[in-house]
Structure formats: structure tokens, C-alpha cells
Amino acid sequence: MKKTKIFIIKMLMVAFVSVVSAQQTIDQKFSEFANVQTVESSFEMKEYVSIADKPFISAGRFYFQKPDSLKWEYLSPFNRGFLINGGKIFSWEEKDGKKEIKDISSNPAAKAVVLQLYAFISMDKTKISKSYKIEDFEDGITLFPLGDSKKQMISKINIFFRKDIAAVEQVEIISKTGDKSLISFFNTKINESLPQNVFDIDVK
């Protein structure tokens, strides 16, 4: 009986150390992003759905600058995107050579999606933790949605980090239906000067 108790205590201690160690690893990974002030990167998104034989592929680029600026734009096969600049959030879509711009700052659903992407790019652990449980793996982190699971379509999100710089290399979004989206980032530049007026948008 005494040996059994000792064994249980040892197992609990191992479990505790494992949790603490994992937490330190997660915190360390997030801390590497603390000094990132600007990011410029190209991306390719592949969306795999069960009703299609081939993935739907789109591509574009994004610009990020602390404390509150993000421009995410699709360049292929369409031209559209959104912009966060201070307290304002805009979306746009180009049709027949004209850019249609909308202020979506007061649209709760659109605002939530855009701000969530901002949290991922900035690697803001505090904001991410409000919506996801964070778990660690060797090459990155996995996010599990919190809240009402019946309303949540996402099963989990795997975020893979680059080893040479504080940047995201790939994001894998897996839905409960088995469909998934894979976003790969390349030509990433950290803490370099961004194009002038990149966060400006003509709303006239």
C-alpha cells in the first residue's frame, strides 16, 4: 500500500513537472515575438474541402506594424482584403477595376475575425488565450477553441514557427468536418522598413 502511494506521488510529480515545462516552452515561444515591431510577408492559402478534387488556392501578402496596424490582401485569383489602422477596420474588394471599400469597424462578426487574425500575427498570447486553449509541440503550438463546442466549426489550429527568425512559417486550420486550410508564409521580413503609406486607404 505504501509503495502504491509513493508511486502515485511520483507520477503526480512527473505530470506536474511536464505541465510546468510545457508552459515554459510555450511562454518562451511567445516571448520571441515580443521584439517584433514590423512584419512583411507573402502567403499562399490552400483550402481542402471534401466536395472538391483539388484545393482552392489563393495568394497575397500582408504587412504588420505594432501597436495596431495590419494590412492583409489577396492578389490572386481575386483582389480583396482588409486593413486595421488604429481603431478603424476596413475591407475592400476590387470589381471591374474599381475598389469598393467598406468600414466594418462596427460589424461584430467581421471585426472578430479580423482581430483574431491580428492576434495570431502579433502572437499576442493574452488575446489568443481568451479564445483558445494553447498546447505545445516541438515545432509550434496547437490551439483548441474554447466556448460552445456545438457552435464552433474549427477543431484545432496548428501554428508552425520558423527556427531562424521569430515568424510563423505555416498555419493549418482543421475543421470538425475534416476540411482544412493550409497557409504558408514566405519571403518574410522582420523589423524592416515597410512601404510608405502602406496602411493608408482612400475611403472617399
Side-chain angles (χ1 to χ4, degrees):
M1 185 70 176
K2 189 175 181 180
K3 289 183 178 181
T4 303
K5 287 183 178 180
I6 293 173
F7 175 76
I8 292 173
I9 291 171
K10 285 183 177 180
M11 291 304 295
L12 289 172
M13 288 176 67
V14 170
F16 175 75
V17 170
S18 298
V19 170
V20 172
S21 177
Q23 186 62 45
Q24 289 173 339
T25 304
I26 291 171
D27 289 341
Q28 185 178 9
K29 287 177 178 177
F30 276 98
S31 68
E32 292 176 358
F33 288 83
N35 295 323
V36 174
Q37 299 299 315
T38 66
V39 183
E40 178 180 349
S41 183
S42 299
F43 68 85
E44 180 185 69
M45 180 184 294
K46 294 182 179 180
E47 298 177 73
Y48 298 85
V49 294
S50 57
I51 59 173
D53 295 330
K54 296 181 180 180
F56 176 77
I57 301 175
S58 55
R61 62 190 174 197
F62 80 85
Y63 305 90
F64 165 80
Q65 181 173 295
K66 286 184 178 178
D68 51 16
S69 298
L70 171 65
K71 182 178 183 180
W72 181 280
E73 59 180 342
Y74 293 92
L75 301 175
S76 173
F78 38 69
N79 192 314
R80 68 185 187 192
F82 59 81
L83 172 77
I84 301 176
N85 195 349
K88 287 289 188 178
I89 304 177
F90 300 93
S91 67
W92 75 85
E93 185 172 1
E94 198 166 293
K95 293 181 179 179
D96 301 323
K98 294 182 180 180
K99 185 178 286 188
E100 297 181 3
I101 301 171
K102 296 180 180 179
D103 185 338
I104 60 173
S105 306
S106 57
N107 184 317
K111 184 177 180 179
V113 171
V114 173
L115 291 180
Q116 191 171 74
L117 180 58
Y118 179 90
F120 291 156
I121 292 173
S122 63
M123 278 294 112
D124 189 322
K125 184 185 175 186
T126 301
K127 291 180 179 178
I128 293 174
S129 298
K130 291 179 180 179
S131 302
Y132 297 91
K133 175 187 175 184
I134 305 172
E135 291 190 0
D136 179 64
F137 66 91
E138 183 177 357
D139 297 322
I141 57 173
T142 299
L143 308 180
F144 296 93
L146 301 174
D148 191 344
S149 59
K150 293 181 180 179
K151 295 180 180 180
Q152 180 58 250
M153 297 300 295
I154 295 174
S155 174
K156 65 179 179 179
I157 301 173
N158 295 318
I159 300 178
F160 300 84
F161 297 132
R162 284 181 54 166
K163 291 181 172 61
D164 55 336
I165 57 175
V168 174
E169 183 172 41
Q170 199 171 69
V171 175
E172 182 182 46
I173 305 171
I174 302 173
S175 72
K176 290 184 176 179
T177 62
D179 296 342
K180 72 174 182 178
S181 297
L182 193 63
I183 310 172
S184 300
F185 300 92
F186 53 95
N187 297 331
T188 303
K189 300 176 184 178
I190 302 293
N191 291 336
E192 296 188 16
S193 297
L194 300 179
Q196 191 173 10
N197 304 321
V198 70
F199 299 113
D200 291 346
I201 191 166
D202 188 0
V203 294
K204 294 180 181 179

